[in-house]
Amino acid sequence: MIKQIFEHKKRFLHLLLLADEQEDMIDQYLERGEMFVLEIDGEVKALCVVTNEGEGVFEIKNLAVEPSEQRKGYGKRLVQFVCEHYKNKGHTMLVGTGDSPLTIPFYQACGFTISHQIDDFFIRHYDQPIYEGGKQLIHMIILKKSL
């Protein structure tokens, strides 16, 4: 079951930090974003935070799945849900992710295509280097999908 969370979003900080390793970066979008959680038998398995960027554009700011629950389709289910949820409210869903061979193929499998790159994003905005799959993230890759 997927449900929207309206209050006390920070109670999911442990999950949010899986997708965005710096709390002050999460703070920049958490309250203005809409949070959705995927629960099974009362246990949260995954979450997604989406912001309204204006003019019919929405952005997935955070998508995280409990480590023990990864590769079970929960992330893909949440992406499909939010794209369906926002299709009558806008025309484009964006997502920004690191230049990682682990996450880009996931979003492409969800129907996103690469739009553009923000050079040195993770160097300029994060206090510590961020690594994924043994590779330091430097550039942010923006992917988009028509709703």
Side-chain angles (χ1 to χ4, degrees), residues 95-109 132 137 143:
V95 63
T97 190
D99 49 343
S100 164
L102 300 178
T103 53
I104 293 171
F106 166 79
Y107 286 111
Q108 289 174 321
E132 189 171 295
L137 302 182
L143 296 101

Side-chain angles (χ1 to χ4, degrees), residues 67-81:
S68 63
E69 303 295 336
Q70 292 175 356
R71 308 203 61 78
K72 295 181 180 178
Y74 298 141
K76 191 170 189 175
R77 238 169 96 189
L78 265 176
V79 169
Q80 290 169 336
F81 175 86

Side-chain angles (χ1 to χ4, degrees), residues 16-35:
L16 292 162
L17 287 167
L18 291 175
D20 196 340
E21 296 181 17
Q22 194 165 300
E23 189 173 349
D24 68 332
M25 293 297 284
I26 293 169
D27 290 340
Q28 292 180 30
Y29 59 77
L30 187 59
E31 287 311 311
R32 71 181 182 94
E34 293 186 295
M35 177 183 278

Side-chain angles (χ1 to χ4, degrees), residues 56-138:
V57 177
F58 294 89
E59 184 173 350
I60 295 172
K61 291 289 193 179
N62 194 304
L63 176 68
V65 179
E66 284 285 358
S68 63
E69 303 295 336
Q70 292 175 356
R71 308 203 61 78
K72 295 181 180 178
Y74 298 141
K76 191 170 189 175
R77 238 169 96 189
L78 265 176
V79 169
Q80 290 169 336
F81 175 86
V82 297
C83 287
E84 184 68 22
H85 178 81
Y86 290 102
K87 79 176 188 180
N88 292 325
K89 299 173 183 172
H91 54 78
T92 302
M93 182 66 71
L94 300 175
V95 63
T97 190
D99 49 343
S100 164
L102 300 178
T103 53
I104 293 171
F106 166 79
Y107 286 111
Q108 289 174 321
C110 291
F112 287 79
T113 58
I114 293 175
S115 170
H116 61 282
Q117 173 175 301
I118 301 173
D119 292 336
D120 302 323
F121 181 87
F122 292 97
I123 303 293
R124 288 185 284 116
H125 296 283
Y126 286 81
D127 297 338
Q128 302 290 325
I130 297 175
Y131 293 89
E132 189 171 295
K135 179 183 186 288
Q136 183 178 353
L137 302 182
I138 296 172

